[in-house]
C-alpha cells in the first residue's frame, strides 16, 4: 500500500464560545504498511487527529489523501463490546452471513481466545476483552488500523502481551497501523516511526530501523528515550 498524505490539517473546537485551536496545520506523509506512532501528552490532540483520519470528524482546513483501496479499522481504549453477545459473536457482528468461519477460528487462535469463543464479555478480563476487540477489527480485513491508546487501561503485563500481539499481527499481515499513545516505552517498542505531537504540530519525526525483537533497555533505546523526553520537555 502507498502513503497517507496529510496536508496542513487544522482543527479548532469552541470552548466558552471562543475558538480553541488543537491542530495548527499538520502536514505529514505516512507509510500505510508501517507502524506509525503518534506520541504526545494528554490533551495534545492525538484523538482529534485520529478522528480526522478516520473521517469521524471534519477538519476546519487542510486535506487527507488516502491510498487507493484503503479499508480503515479502529480500536479504542475501551473494548466497546456488546455485553449480550459472546466473544465470537462480537467478532463476527455485522459481517455478511457467508463470512469465512475458518478465518474467524484462526483469528481466535491468534488472539489466544479459542477456549473463550462462547464466553460473554462480563466473563472476560480487560485484556481478553481488548483481544476480542483486536480480533473484531482484524476480521474486517482492514489494511490500516487506527489504534487510540488501546492498551492504556491494561496492567503492565497484559499490556506487554498485547504489544507483542500487535507486532506479530503486523509481521504476519503487513497491516498498517497508526498507533496513538502517551507512553514512550510503548512507542519505542512498536514504532517504525514516531511522530511527536506538541502544541498543535508535529515537532519531531523519528524513524526507528530495527529488525527482529527490540530490547528497549539497551543503550540505543535509552538514548532515544532521552531524546523524546527532551522533545516533550519532560525533565
Ligand atoms: N468535542 C470537543 N469539544 C471541545 N473541546 C474538545 C473536544 N474534543 C477534544 N477537545 C479538546 O481538544 C484537546 C485535544 O483533545 P484530544 O484530541 O482528545 O487529546 P488527546 O487525545 O491527545 O488527549 C483537549 O484540550 C480537549 O479538551
Ligand atoms: Mg485521546
Amino acid at each position: 500500500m502507498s502513503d497517507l498524505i496529510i496536508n496542513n490539517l487544522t482543527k479548532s473546537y469552541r470552548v466558552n464560545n471562543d475558538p480553541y485551536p488543537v491542530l495548527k496545520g499538520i502536514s505529514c506523509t505516512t507509510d500505510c504498511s508501517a507502524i506509525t506512532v503518534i506520541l504526545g501528552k494528554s490533551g495534545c490532540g492525538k484523538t482529534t487527529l485520529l478522528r480526522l483520519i478516520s473521517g469521524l470528524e471534519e477538519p476546519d482546513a487542510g486535506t487527507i489523501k488516502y491510498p487507493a483501496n484503503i479499508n480503515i479499522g479502529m480500536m479504542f481504549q475501551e473494548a466497546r463490546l456488546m455485553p449480550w453477545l459472546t466473544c465470537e459473536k462480537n467478532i463476527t457482528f455485522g459481517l455478511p452471513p457467508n463470512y469465512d468461519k475458518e478465518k474467524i477460528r484462526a483469528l481466535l487462535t491468534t488472539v489466544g481466545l479459542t477456549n473463550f469463543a462462547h464466553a460473554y464479555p462480563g466473563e472476560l478480563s480487560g485484556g481478553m476483552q481488548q483481544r476480542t476487540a483486536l480480533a473484531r477489527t482484524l476480521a474486517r480485513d482492514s489494511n490500516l488500523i487506527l489504534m487510540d491508546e488501546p492498551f492504556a487501561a491494561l496492567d503492565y503485563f497484559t499490556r506487554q502481551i498485547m504489544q507483542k500481539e500487535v507486532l506479530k499481527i503486523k509481521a504476519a499481515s503487513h497491516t498498517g497501523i497508526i498507533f496513538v499513545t502517551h507512553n514512550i516505552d510503548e512507542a519505542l517498542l512498536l514504532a517504525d516511526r514516531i511522530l511527536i505531537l506538541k502544541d498543535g504540530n508535529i515537532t519531531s519525526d523519528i524513524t526507528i530501523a530495527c529488525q527482529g525483537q527490540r530490547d528497549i533497555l539497551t543503550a540505543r533505546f535509552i538514548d532515544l528515550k532521552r531524546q523524546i523526553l527532551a522533545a516533550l520537555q519532560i525533565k
Side-chain angles (χ1 to χ4, degrees):
M1 241 203 320
S2 52
D3 292 336
L4 178 86
I5 303 165
I6 294 175
N7 190 27
N8 210 14
L9 212 60
T10 305
K11 179 76 183 173
S12 295
Y13 292 111
R14 288 201 83 76
V15 176
N16 297 329
N17 257 338
D18 293 321
Y20 176 67
V22 177
L23 304 179
K24 302 176 185 169
I26 289 194
S27 296
C28 70
T29 299
T30 64
D31 172 359
C32 284
S33 56
I35 301 185
T36 304
V37 170
I38 298 166
L39 177 68
K41 292 184 198 173
S42 179
C44 74
K46 303 182 293 300
T47 295
T48 302
L49 180 55
L50 269 202
R51 287 175 63 81
L52 293 175
I53 295 172
S54 70
L56 285 170
E57 266 189 80
E58 289 282 315
D60 299 336
T63 56
I64 304 173
K65 191 164 171 283
Y66 299 89
N69 305 321
I70 191 94
N71 180 1
I72 294 181
M74 276 203 90
M75 200 177 157
F76 304 91
Q77 186 170 332
E78 328 79 48
R80 302 188 182 185
L81 302 179
M82 285 172 271
W84 60 89
L85 294 180
T86 63
C87 166
E88 184 172 358
K89 291 269 191 261
N90 264 287
I91 294 168
T92 60
F93 183 83
L95 293 180
N98 61 343
Y99 68 81
D100 182 346
K101 300 206 168 42
E102 193 44 53
K103 182 184 164 188
I104 299 301
R105 262 194 291 279
L107 268 178
L108 280 164
T109 309
T110 306
V111 299
L113 287 173
T114 306
N115 293 333
F116 293 88
H118 304 297
Y120 288 87
E123 299 167 320
L124 303 174
S125 69
M128 291 157 102
Q129 291 185 25
Q130 268 310 49
R131 280 188 266 153
T132 308
L134 182 57
R136 179 182 56 190
T137 306
L138 294 170
R140 273 142 190 83
D141 291 326
S142 308
N143 47 20
L144 178 66
I145 304 181
L146 310 181
M147 296 185 159
D148 192 358
E149 311 218 31
F151 311 139
L154 304 179
D155 70 272
Y156 175 82
F157 300 101
T158 312
R159 180 188 269 254
Q160 272 195 327
I161 294 167
M162 295 296 292
Q163 289 163 342
K164 286 193 182 131
E165 215 62 71
V166 166
L167 289 173
K168 266 199 269 172
I169 286 158
K170 166 69 189 2
S173 65
H174 301 288
T175 305
I177 297 172
I178 300 181
F179 192 106
V180 156
T181 186
H182 63 260
N183 184 310
I184 301 174
D185 288 350
E186 185 165 65
L188 287 172
L189 195 71
L190 296 179
D192 294 311
R193 184 178 176 204
I194 299 177
L195 302 174
I196 294 183
L197 186 58
K198 187 166 172 263
D199 301 329
N201 270 303
I202 291 168
T203 54
S204 303
D205 181 346
I206 302 164
T207 297
I208 306 179
C210 182
Q211 301 296 326
Q213 277 220 333
R214 291 182 187 183
D215 180 353
I216 61 165
L217 295 176
T218 54
R220 177 187 174 200
F221 283 96
I222 292 169
D223 275 353
L224 273 173
K225 187 166 180 176
R226 277 209 190 91
Q227 196 183 319
I228 291 169
L229 285 166
L232 291 166
Q233 287 174 347
I234 301 168
K235 293 273 178 322

